[in-house]
């Protein structure tokens, strides 16, 4: 009976994994199809959709914009979030627990609600520049990922090391940089990676903030899927998946996925 | 990519009473930024839902809560979230159990396989799903070749495709919190129950389920709160045939420009999310859902 | 590391030389709690001073104030005639060995030691030479390229010491450096560390809550209690002539008998106690309530010449055998009193209930005002 139960669970696990990968594999398959329609099974193999990416200007622009926004917002969150996390961990500010919850709370709000709030606020404050608005909103989106991982790393960090560095002649900022930063690097890498992905993939917040000429990749992709779905979209999606896998592997090499997953 | 809404890791500080320290200023940039860019806009949105062109008014709420159309839409969102959560739990529970019981390298590999789809863009996955749902797509291909149906049928823009897609996108959010709780369970507890003569069903209901309840609550809350607010997946898979609160909010701002309607809908969704989070933290703390 | 090579043997009982480290009237509060209360301390060049006191009495706080990791609410701190009160920690050139060493796990042993040299911009070649010297000093040459996380507790401690002294600090602070080591290792490390620091001639402040450690290692001991220094003196002064009942009881074993002053002659007082009249050196008003303290090993069995000795009779309550010596606890009549006697050789028939005559020199008795009821 127990054996049957465990076999049953394993079967479900196998099916679940197959199920989760289905749409991803389909996208990969279609991107190599020789046909412009999404027939299954595909009639033949070709790389023409990858070749055609070279002409997809608006798509490439969207990739570039999303990369910039994700990288900048992650970097800003890393700096602001880490400084804040240090103050929280060291009890330098009152109500540390509440502050930590506040900084991580954008993750708990529905994305669309956040997006609407940003849209309204940008209007009320007269903030017209799409790029700046997007960047500010994405710092808010990425902040919770940084807060969670960095707080977890800091809780394992011995702050006497910072004192030791100061007594050996480094100023407080230099001590943080030379001792704290290298020691919580795994937290930075995993938090940074997830923050980057969260920003790069964000749809529900960005949809309210983009304009005709400034579109992030998810918006541009969805437009294309709705308007004129063709395997070019599949090709760019396949490259995105590839990029994600490469990023995960690089991070694994840097700090070890085990260490990342445990943080 | 958060797995469970467990407590943030804030270690107890050695300080009994707070004293101002110039180093505390390092928190200022982040705090000020989040106050201005996050807290203020959200509070302003809540404020906006109570104002119209004439001034203070509840017209937005009256419109939403007094109109069967909008009530139906709120119902749709809740139904979508309930069914998605229930299916994710039914499928995710045994899968997480198997994942937690497998030893060694396989556990790492399988964990990575569950985790990896989370890092793939929702738009990309939903795009893949729409391809699958086509008349000449893989679902129909499988159904026909396995002899379930004679001729391909229309799947796009059906509720089947909606729930298929929702579960596909949100299932990992159920499995990972369940897994993190189940991994900590001592399998000998279940053996002990069996050796005391309890049947499998009894063992499950009396031992396994109560012990894994925190995972069920965490996963359930997470899946419910993100699926009640889902926008991309329902939009692409059923479109306007199945209107949800998210669709209404987006339309109110992007098309019909009825800001008060959008703001009221947003606040209602905010209240649903907040209620859910409070309820789940209450459940986790109360006996029967004890966390540790 | 030759900066202190000309160090003279440390000044002990008399210290006329100007103080090298001067902590003057320092007060530190955390919220409502006053952790250090107008505390002053002066330490001579190349001296090794221990801060001894129970956990929570403010030792670490004092150390952090000297280091500059905390700022005092009041008072001043000077080293070598230079006022450091407003100087940032990293500009004080003070070395610290932390309680759990605080080695940098992302650096090797050699890199840990070189850290301070790099911060000070010492040229690469000189860094390498100094690191090698420092490793030699703590006999860890073979470990230069190891990861610090792979070292044992004792080895980590040596590296922490090497890292702190390699930059030739003007002062070395050590916060309970042995607390993480087991007893055996602790004893060897105590002797070794003392040796290293004496050779370097470096002025050191050493925090401990272990009285034996303080007695073994220090030139002078500052006994701390609730944010104040109760007694600052050489180990033998602190042990044999404690200035307060607190010091007497915190450092070493002691007997204590409460009584009332009946009269005084010259520099002696006569005290009425349940054990009879006891004489002790001191000046107290007749009628004051006092406590007489005596070290257990100062007490001997049998009578002595009446002029020089106090003689009492007591009943043995407990016999505790240590091999080389035996500790006897006597029955006392008042709560809080103890009469403990340490004998190297035991009279033949001693067991609980035996009556014995005991004597100790009048000069070995110490008298303190009896603590008020509230303070007990
Ligand atoms: N940062 C701080 N905030 C509040 N109280 C503190 C802080 N540091 C120490 N204390 C308090 O000051 C007292 C002395 O602490 P400490 O100097 O660490 O004692 P010791 O090192 O002698 O054990 C203790 O009661 C401790 O609780
Ligand atoms: Mg201490």
């Amino acid at each position: 009976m127990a054996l049957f139960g465990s076999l049953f669970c394993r079967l479900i696990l196998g099916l679940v994994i197959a199920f989760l990968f289905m749409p991803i594999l389909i996208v990969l398959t279609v991107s190599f199809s020789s046909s412009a329609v999404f027939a299954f099974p595909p009639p033949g193999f070709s790389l023409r959709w990858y070749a055609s990416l070279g002409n997809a200007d608006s798509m490439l622009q969207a990739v570039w914009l999303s990369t910039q926004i994700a990288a900048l917002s992650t970097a800003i969150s890393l700096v602001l979030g880490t400084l804040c996390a240090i103050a929280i961990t060291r009890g330098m500010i009152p109500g540390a627990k509440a502050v930590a919850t506040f900084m991580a709370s954008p993750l708990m709000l529905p994305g669309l609600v956040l997006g609407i709030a940003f849209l309204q606020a940008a209007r009320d404050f007269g903030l017209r520049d799409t790029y700046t608005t997007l960047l500010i909103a994405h710092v808010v989106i990425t902040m919770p990922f940084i807060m969670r991982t960095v707080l977890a790393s800091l809780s394992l960090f011995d702050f006497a090391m910072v004192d030791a560095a100061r007594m050996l002649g480094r100023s407080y900022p230099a001590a943080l940089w030379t001792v704290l930063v290298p020691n919580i690097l795994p937290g930075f890498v995993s938090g940074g990676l997830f923050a980057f992905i969260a920003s790069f993939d964000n749809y529900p917040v960005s949809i309210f903030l983009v304009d005709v000429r400034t579109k992030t990749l998810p918006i541009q992709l969805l437009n294309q899927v709705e308007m004129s779905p063709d395997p070019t979209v599949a090709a760019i999606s396949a490259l995105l998946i590839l990029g994600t896998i490469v990023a995960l592997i690089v991070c694994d090499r840097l700090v070890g996925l085990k260490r990342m997953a445990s943080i | 990519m958060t797995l469970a809404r467990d407590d943030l890791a804030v270690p107890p500080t050695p300080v009994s009473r707070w004293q101002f320290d110039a180093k505390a200023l390092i928190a200022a940039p982040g705090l000020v930024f989040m106050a201005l860019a996050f807290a203020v806009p959200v509070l302003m949105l809540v404020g906006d839902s109570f104002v119209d062109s004439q001034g203070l008014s509840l017209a937005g709420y009256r419109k939403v809560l007094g109109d069967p159309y909008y009530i139906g839409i709120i119902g749709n969102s809740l139904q979508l979230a309930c069914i998605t959560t229930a299916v994710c739990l039914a499928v995710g529970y045994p899968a997480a159990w198997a994942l937690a019981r497998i030893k060694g390298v396989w556990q790492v590999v399988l964990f990575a396989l569950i985790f990896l789809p989370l890092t793939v863009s929702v738009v990309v996955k939903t795009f893949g799903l729409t391809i699958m749902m086509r008349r000449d797509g893989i679902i129909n291909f499988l159904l026909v070749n396995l002899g379930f149906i004679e001729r391909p049928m229309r799947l796009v823009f059906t509720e089947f495709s909606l729930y298929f897609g929702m579960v596909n996108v949100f299932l990992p959010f159920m499995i990972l919190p369940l897994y993190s709780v189940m991994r900590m369970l001592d399998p000998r507890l279940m053996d002990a129950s069996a050796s005391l003569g309890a049947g499998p069903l009894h063992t499950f209901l009396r031992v396994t389920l109560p012990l894994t309840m925190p995972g069920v609550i965490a996963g359930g809350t997470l899946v419910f709160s993100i699926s009640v607010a889902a926008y991309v997946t329902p939009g692409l898979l059923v479109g306007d045939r199945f209107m949800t609160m998210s669709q209404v909010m987006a339309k109110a701002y992007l098309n019909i420009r009825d800001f008060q309607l959008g703001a009221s809908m947003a606040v209602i969704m905010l209240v649903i999310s907040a209620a859910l989070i409070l309820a789940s933290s209450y459940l986790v703390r109360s006996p029967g859902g004890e966390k540790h | 590391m030759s900066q202190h090579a000309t160090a003279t043997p440390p000044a002990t009982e008399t210290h006329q030389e100007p103080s090298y480290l001067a902590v003057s009237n320092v007060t530190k509060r955390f919220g409502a709690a006053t952790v250090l209360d107008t505390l002053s301390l002066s330490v001579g060049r190349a001296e090794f001073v221990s801060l001894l006191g129970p956990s929570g009495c403010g030792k670490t706080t004092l150390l952090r104030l000297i280091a500059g990791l905390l700022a005092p609410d009041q008072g001043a701190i000077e080293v070598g005639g230079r006022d450091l009160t407003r100087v940032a920690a990293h500009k004080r050139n003070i070395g610290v060995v932390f309680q759990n060493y605080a080695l940098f796990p992302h650096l090797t042993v050699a890199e840990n030691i070189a850290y301070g040299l790099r911060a000070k911009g010492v040229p690469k070649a000189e860094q390498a030479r100094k690191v090698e010297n420092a490793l030699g000093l703590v006999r860890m040459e073979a470990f230069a390229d190891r990861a610090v996380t792979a070292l044992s507790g004792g080895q980590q401690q040596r590296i922490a010491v090497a890292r702190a002294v390699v930059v030739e600090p003007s002062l070395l602070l050590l916060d309970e450096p042995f607390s993480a080591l087991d007893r055996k290792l602790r004893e060897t490390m105590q002797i070794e560390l003392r040796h290293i620091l004496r050779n370097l001639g470096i002025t050191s402040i050493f925090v401990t809550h272990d009285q034996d450690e303080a007695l073994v290692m220090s030139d002078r001991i500052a006994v701390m209690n609730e944010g104040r220094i109760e007694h600052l003196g050489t180990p033998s002064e602190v042990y044999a002539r404690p200035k307060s009942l607190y010091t007497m009881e915190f450092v070493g074993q002691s007997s204590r008998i409460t009584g009332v002053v009946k009269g005084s002659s010259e520099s002696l007082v006569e005290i009425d106690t349940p054990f009879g009249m006891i004489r002790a050196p001191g000046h107290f008003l007749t009628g004051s309530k006092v406590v007489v303290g005596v070290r257990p090993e100062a007490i001997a069995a049998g009578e002595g010449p009446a002029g020089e000795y106090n003689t009492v009779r007591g009943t043995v309550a407990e016999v505790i055998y240590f091999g080389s010596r035996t500790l006897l606890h006597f029955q006392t009549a008042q709560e809080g009193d103890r009469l403990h006697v340490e004998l190297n050789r035991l009279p033949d028939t001693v067991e609980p209930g035996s009556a014995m005559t005991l004597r100790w020199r009048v000069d070995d008795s110490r008298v303190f005002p009896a603590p008020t009821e509230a303070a007990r």
Side-chain angles (χ1 to χ4, degrees):
Chain A
M1 190 64 211
L3 182 68
F4 170 77
S6 100
L7 276 181
F8 173 76
C9 290
R10 285 181 186 204
L11 180 69
I12 298 269
L13 179 61
L15 290 175
V16 159
I17 290 173
F19 170 67
L20 291 178
F21 272 85
M22 247 200 264
I24 299 169
L25 295 176
I26 289 285
V27 169
L28 292 176
T29 315
V30 165
S31 72
F32 293 110
S33 166
S34 60
S35 156
V37 293
F38 305 113
F40 190 88
F45 176 87
S46 95
L47 289 175
R48 56 190 275 217
W49 306 113
Y50 289 90
S52 75
L53 278 181
N55 306 324
D57 277 349
S58 53
M59 198 64 98
L60 294 181
Q61 267 171 25
V63 171
W64 178 226
L65 176 67
S66 278
T67 310
Q68 284 178 27
I69 297 281
L72 280 176
S73 63
T74 302
I76 295 173
S77 284
L78 268 175
V79 175
L80 299 187
T82 303
L83 292 178
C84 208
I86 291 172
I88 289 170
T89 312
R90 299 308 288 154
M92 295 171 187
I93 44 179
K97 185 102 194 170
V99 173
T101 309
F102 168 67
M103 298 290 283
S105 61
L107 196 60
M108 307 198 190
L109 298 191
L112 284 181
V113 175
L114 267 185
I116 291 174
F118 291 137
L119 173 66
Q120 285 282 40
R123 275 189 193 150
D124 293 353
F125 290 138
L127 187 60
R128 288 182 197 260
D129 183 40
T130 307
Y131 192 92
T132 314
T133 317
L134 268 176
L135 185 58
I136 292 174
H138 279 237
V139 173
V140 174
I141 295 168
T142 48
M143 187 65 82
F145 295 92
I146 304 296
M147 282 317 279
R148 285 173 161 267
T149 49
V150 172
L151 278 175
S153 315
L154 285 181
S155 69
L156 303 175
F157 177 78
D158 177 10
F159 274 85
M161 282 190 245
V162 174
D163 292 339
R166 292 170 70 194
M167 297 321 296
L168 289 167
R170 301 267 189 193
S171 65
Y172 185 66
L176 291 182
W177 181 251
T178 54
V179 173
L180 182 128
V181 169
N183 276 294
I184 62 168
L185 199 60
F188 283 152
V189 171
S190 59
L193 179 69
F194 295 138
F196 187 95
I197 291 175
S199 161
F200 198 81
D201 281 352
N202 183 275
Y203 186 94
V205 173
S206 306
I207 182 66
F208 294 103
L209 308 178
V210 294
D211 61 35
V212 191
R213 269 160 291 121
T214 324
K215 282 189 183 152
T216 61
L217 184 61
I219 313 285
Q220 180 67 32
L221 265 182
L222 199 77
N223 268 358
Q224 195 107 6
V225 170
E226 280 176 337
M227 302 303 165
S228 58
D230 71 32
T232 317
V233 181
I236 194 131
S237 302
L239 290 180
L240 283 185
I241 295 169
L242 185 73
T244 311
I245 292 173
V246 169
L248 284 174
I249 291 173
V250 168
C251 292
D252 178 42
R253 280 292 118 80
L254 273 180
V255 297
L257 216 50
K258 259 273 175 58
R259 261 174 101 187
M260 275 169 55
S262 67
I263 280 172
Chain B
M1 287 334 89
T2 169
L3 306 185
R5 290 209 173 100
D6 48 353
D7 282 347
L8 290 159
V10 180
T13 49
V15 182
S16 52
R17 202 173 293 214
W18 177 71
Q19 239 191 343
F20 182 76
D21 177 350
K23 291 203 289 300
L25 289 175
I26 64 175
L31 274 177
V32 170
F33 177 87
M34 288 297 276
L36 290 181
F38 167 59
V40 168
V42 171
L43 293 177
M44 277 167 57
L45 176 67
V46 175
D48 278 352
S49 72
F50 294 104
V51 206
D52 67 5
S53 49
Q54 268 81 56
L56 221 58
S57 105
L58 288 174
Y61 292 102
R62 222 173 284 131
K63 187 167 181 180
V64 173
L65 298 173
D67 186 338
Y69 173 71
Y70 290 116
I71 295 287
I73 284 170
I74 295 177
N76 279 354
S77 283
L78 293 175
Q79 180 198 329
L80 176 66
C82 283
I83 297 183
T84 306
T85 307
V87 177
C88 283
L89 181 60
V91 178
Y93 196 95
W97 184 258
L99 183 60
R101 287 287 152 270
I102 286 169
K103 298 271 166 332
V105 194
W106 274 106
Q107 194 178 52
V108 179
V109 171
L110 292 170
F111 176 87
L113 289 179
I114 299 284
F115 186 76
L116 196 68
L118 274 184
T119 63
V120 174
S121 162
V122 174
V123 176
V124 171
K125 275 189 288 192
T126 311
F127 172 53
L129 285 163
T130 60
I131 300 176
M132 288 166 65
M133 296 295 164
R134 290 164 59 95
R135 220 176 262 280
D136 53 0
I138 187 172
I139 304 272
N140 271 313
F141 179 82
L142 286 175
L143 288 177
V144 170
N145 283 312
L146 294 174
F148 286 111
I149 52 174
E150 302 237 317
R151 257 173 294 113
M153 57 184 207
R154 202 183 62 98
L155 295 171
V156 206
F157 300 134
T158 62
E159 289 203 7
F160 168 79
S161 77
L162 172 65
Y163 290 117
F164 188 94
M166 291 290 285
V167 172
N168 190 283
V169 173
F170 297 127
L171 186 52
F173 290 110
M174 179 64 85
I175 295 181
L176 293 176
L178 279 172
Y179 163 75
S180 68
V181 169
M182 290 173 174
R183 199 177 46 150
M184 300 300 173
L185 279 193
D186 188 343
R188 282 172 303 182
L189 282 175
M190 271 59 80
D191 294 347
S193 168
S195 73
L196 291 172
L201 185 67
H202 190 261
T203 303
F204 176 75
L205 288 178
R206 287 304 172 86
V207 181
T208 318
L209 191 60
L211 286 173
T212 51
M213 214 43 167
V216 173
I217 293 169
T221 314
L222 191 58
V223 172
F224 192 98
S225 63
I226 50 185
S227 55
V228 81
Y231 175 67
V232 173
T233 309
L236 267 185
L237 290 174
V238 283
D240 293 348
R241 284 156 201 256
F242 189 87
M243 287 294 281
T244 60
M245 296 169 73
S246 301
Q247 304 321 359
V248 172
M249 270 155 60
K251 277 209 162 45
Y253 274 90
L254 299 175
N255 305 343
I256 59 175
R257 305 197 149 255
D258 183 345
F259 299 151
Q260 203 189 8
L261 170 67
S264 311
M265 211 43 137
V267 171
I268 292 172
M269 186 177 276
L270 208 56
V271 169
I272 295 177
S273 312
L276 202 67
I277 290 165
L278 288 181
S280 84
S281 60
Y282 170 78
L283 279 179
V284 169
R285 251 163 241 152
S286 69
E290 204 60 50
K291 212 170 180 182
H292 299 292
Chain C
M1 247 160 298
S2 53
Q3 170 183 328
H4 305 294
T6 55
T8 46
T12 51
E13 309 249 342
T14 53
H15 31 89
Q16 303 96 338
E17 65 171 297
S19 67
Y20 180 65
L21 163 69
V23 176
S24 332
N25 299 315
V26 160
T27 297
K28 180 68 189 173
R29 295 184 201 91
F30 289 117
T34 302
V35 172
L36 294 180
D37 187 6
T38 53
L39 178 147
S40 296
L41 170 69
S42 67
V43 174
R45 185 182 284 276
E47 226 187 333
F48 188 109
V49 171
S50 293
L51 302 177
L52 173 65
S55 167
C57 71
K59 307 181 295 290
T60 299
T61 304
L62 177 54
L63 221 58
R64 293 176 69 81
L65 284 170
I66 297 172
L69 296 170
L70 283 176
D73 296 323
Q74 277 165 36
I77 291 159
E78 258 178 45
V79 175
R82 179 170 164 236
D83 182 5
L84 292 183
T85 319
R86 302 266 165 266
V87 176
H90 64 282
K91 294 189 181 140
R92 290 193 180 191
N93 194 30
I94 291 176
V96 179
V97 175
F98 288 87
Q99 195 158 3
N100 39 17
Y101 317 136
L103 296 179
F104 306 133
H106 62 296
L107 301 178
T108 63
V109 165
E111 287 166 345
N112 261 278
I113 298 176
Y115 184 93
L117 299 170
R118 283 186 60 184
K120 296 204 157 90
V122 174
K124 266 263 156 31
E126 204 180 330
Q127 276 184 32
R129 192 177 53 74
K130 290 196 173 198
V131 166
E132 202 168 321
N133 281 348
L135 280 169
L137 190 71
V138 294
R139 298 191 283 111
M140 291 284 288
E141 298 95 328
F143 294 83
D145 297 320
R146 298 279 183 92
V148 288
T149 44
L151 302 181
S152 71
Q155 291 168 335
Q156 289 191 3
Q157 162 152 63
R158 288 159 199 251
I159 301 307
V161 170
R163 184 180 70 175
V165 299
V166 73
V167 293
E168 297 171 14
S170 53
L171 181 66
L172 184 65
L173 310 175
L174 306 100
D175 192 355
E176 311 210 13
F178 303 116
S179 61
L181 304 182
D182 61 52
R183 193 185 173 80
K184 202 66 182 215
L185 186 56
R186 193 183 308 180
E187 280 165 11
T188 35
M189 287 304 294
Q190 280 168 4
I191 295 165
E192 190 175 324
L193 181 65
R194 187 71 195 92
H195 185 74
I196 292 171
L197 296 182
R198 216 185 275 272
N199 280 349
L200 290 174
I202 191 167
T203 314
S204 310
I205 311 285
F206 173 91
V207 160
T208 180
H209 62 256
D210 180 340
Q211 36 144 330
D212 293 331
E213 200 165 278
L215 290 171
V216 169
M217 296 187 67
S218 323
D219 295 326
R220 284 194 297 155
I221 297 175
V223 179
M224 284 184 69
N225 180 27
E226 292 180 351
R228 279 170 296 109
I229 292 182
E230 292 264 344
H231 190 166
L232 175 64
T234 62
S236 60
E237 282 169 352
V238 166
Y239 186 80
R241 289 195 296 284
K243 281 187 189 160
S244 68
L245 182 60
Y246 177 85
T247 305
M248 173 124 201
E249 301 207 309
F250 191 75
V251 183
Q253 302 277 325
S254 59
S255 294
R256 57 175 277 179
I257 300 164
T258 311
V260 177
V261 175
K262 278 290 169 240
S264 50
S265 60
E266 291 164 40
S267 60
L268 292 184
V269 283
E270 290 208 326
I271 303 146
D272 185 17
T273 75
F275 288 99
M277 280 296 175
I278 292 177
R279 284 171 302 148
H283 300 278
F284 280 89
L285 289 178
T286 303
S288 335
K289 211 168 171 209
V290 295
V291 173
V292 182
V294 195
R295 295 292 179 193
E297 68 278 4
I299 306 178
E303 287 188 29
E308 280 176 55
Y309 283 85
N310 286 311
T311 305
V312 301
R313 278 191 73 75
T315 310
V316 175
E318 221 173 316
V319 181
I320 303 160
Y321 183 65
F322 283 105
S324 63
R325 61 208 167 83
T326 304
L327 195 62
L328 300 178
H329 289 186
F330 283 80
Q331 290 173 5
T332 52
Q334 303 172 104
E335 186 174 355
D337 278 7
R338 301 188 286 278
L339 182 53
H340 292 181
V341 178
E342 190 180 306
L343 299 176
N344 290 333
R345 183 158 301 157
L346 209 56
D348 287 334
T349 54
V350 171
E351 53 187 28
S354 315
M356 270 179 79
T357 305
L358 301 169
R359 68 167 192 277
W360 68 86
R361 294 171 60 90
V362 170
D363 280 350
D364 285 338
S365 317
R366 313 246 64 87
V367 200
F368 308 101
T372 54
E373 287 306 315
R376 276 257 293 277

